[in-house]
Amino acid sequence: MPCTAAKTDRYISFDGIDCDAYAERILGYIRACIDDAENPSDWQPYFERKLVEIAGMGQDALFFVGSQVNYIRELFEHYDHDDGLELLDKIEDECC
């Protein structure tokens, strides 16, 4: 029997993939970026508004991240937020 490395596969099961926690971390990274007044991004007003909207609607973080991937990527690129970009890639690969 061949030996294969255990890898989570979203198409088989979401077991072992903590997508909700990943998405919550992304929201934290977004908040940290938009709080940076010394290096403003054109995306700050957009995300300030969106974070208020999702809180008011009770929208889950994973849905928000999945629907805003390109905008989040641009925000993180502006801030050279490597951890955020890496986690965003992970969410795209494993959760969306």
Side-chain angles (χ1 to χ4, degrees):
M1 175 176 258
C3 179
T4 58
K7 182 179 182 226
T8 53
D9 184 340
R10 66 182 171 168
Y11 296 110
I12 295 170
S13 171
F14 283 94
D15 288 344
I17 305 173
D18 199 353
C19 296
D20 292 325
Y22 295 163
E24 288 295 335
R25 281 181 41 206
I26 290 288
L27 291 185
Y29 292 158
I30 291 170
R31 287 183 186 98
C33 288
I34 65 176
D35 286 343
D36 184 353
E38 292 184 24
N39 184 20
S41 163
D42 292 340
W43 290 104
Q44 283 178 315
Y46 177 82
F47 281 109
E48 288 168 352
R49 185 177 67 251
K50 285 295 184 182
L51 292 175
V52 169
E53 287 175 6
I54 66 168
M57 293 186 301
Q59 188 178 62
D60 70 52
L62 184 58
F63 179 83
F64 174 74
V65 171
S67 65
Q68 302 290 320
V69 167
N70 293 326
Y71 305 126
I72 295 169
R73 184 173 308 285
E74 287 190 36
L75 180 75
F76 289 167
E77 286 173 350
H78 174 84
Y79 289 101
D80 295 321
H81 199 300
D82 293 333
D83 291 340
L85 289 166
E86 184 178 317
L87 184 57
L88 191 60
D89 287 341
K90 186 175 186 72
I91 288 174
E92 280 190 289
D93 289 342
E94 295 181 5
C95 303
C96 295

